Amino acid sequence: ATEGGAACHVLCLDQATGKILWDKEVFQQELKRKENKNSFATPTPCTDGRRIYASFADGSFVALNLDGEIAWVNRDYPFY
């Protein structure tokens, strides 16, 4: 999360070099309370080998394909 936590990004890194292959802003989130030891992008993304799934501090979820294109966004369930 950048811009003070509002801009939510998913990044793809080269496993061998750590080089950023792509950096996709997926949405802007509404900033709410967060734990002091966390950031607004604390959860680690996961993959099923076909898509990448990520969640953010406001409860929003996103799925991207492996090329960084957004497959879907779900912001229907606000969560803290």
Side-chain angles (χ1 to χ4, degrees), residues 32-52:
K32 298 181 180 180
R33 180 177 168 261
K34 71 170 186 60
E35 299 300 323
N36 290 333
K37 294 182 180 180
N38 293 346
S39 76
F40 286 105
T42 297
T44 300
C46 63
T47 184
D48 60 6
R50 203 169 55 97
R51 289 194 174 143
I52 302 157

Side-chain angles (χ1 to χ4, degrees), residues 6-53:
C8 298
H9 292 249
V10 177
L11 286 75
C12 176
L13 306 176
D14 182 278
Q15 180 178 350
T17 66
K19 176 184 173 189
I20 296 175
L21 301 176
W22 50 260
D23 177 350
K24 178 74 171 188
E25 181 175 329
V26 293
F27 48 74
Q28 296 273 321
Q29 70 181 340
E30 180 182 335
L31 299 179
K32 298 181 180 180
R33 180 177 168 261
K34 71 170 186 60
E35 299 300 323
N36 290 333
K37 294 182 180 180
N38 293 346
S39 76
F40 286 105
T42 297
T44 300
C46 63
T47 184
D48 60 6
R50 203 169 55 97
R51 289 194 174 143
I52 302 157
Y53 304 92

Side-chain angles (χ1 to χ4, degrees), residues 58-61 74-79:
D58 72 350
S60 297
F61 292 86
N74 185 322
R75 304 189 81 182
D76 295 338
Y77 302 98
F79 175 78

